[in-house]
Amino acid sequence: MTTYFIQDYQFIDKKVAAELTGLSGDTLKRYRQKGKLQKDIHWVSINSRVVRYNKTLLIDWIQNHQSNPKAHSKAIENYLASLPSSQKKTKGKRS
């Protein structure tokens, strides 16, 4: 079983995302608006003018969304499990 840590997930700007995927910035925006790329999974909104893309999941989506959607769903599960909010809280010892 592979363990993923949040630092394995980089967030990149539109220009880098377009270069990596071969898609235009307009196409990435259209995919966001149509829900093909999921908010807080494939991309995050920093503010009303700034969007960042999850590099790992974006590349995985390009590779797997049509040919192997189950593999992409697993990649999403791994990402969500790596978030600090998903980590089990350890109880401290009382003295």
Side-chain angles (χ1 to χ4, degrees):
M1 180 173 159
T2 303
T3 303
Y4 291 89
F5 300 99
I6 192 68
Q7 54 266 34
D8 292 337
Y9 296 92
Q10 297 176 358
F11 288 83
I12 55 177
D13 65 19
K14 172 178 70 174
K15 181 180 177 185
V16 174
E19 290 171 0
L20 282 173
T21 62
L23 301 172
S24 71
D26 288 339
T27 298
L28 290 168
K29 182 177 181 178
R30 190 169 50 254
Y31 285 0
R32 286 194 334 261
Q33 291 172 336
K34 289 184 176 184
K36 288 184 176 187
L37 297 175
Q38 300 171 22
K39 185 175 184 187
D40 297 326
I41 301 290
H42 298 104
W43 62 278
V44 294
S45 178
I46 304 300
N47 61 42
S48 63
R49 299 181 65 202
V50 178
V51 170
R52 294 291 183 257
Y53 294 89
N54 183 318
K55 179 181 176 183
T56 302
L57 290 181
L58 187 61
I59 292 169
D60 190 85
W61 181 82
I62 290 291
Q63 186 172 9
N64 291 318
H65 78 280
Q66 289 180 329
S67 63
N68 195 352
K70 287 184 181 182
H72 186 61
S73 293
K74 183 66 175 168
I76 291 171
E77 288 175 25
N78 290 335
Y79 167 67
L80 292 174
S82 76
L83 294 174
S85 59
S86 297
Q87 303 304 309
K88 291 182 179 180
K89 295 180 181 174
T90 57
K91 295 182 180 181
K93 292 183 179 180
R94 288 192 167 170
S95 306

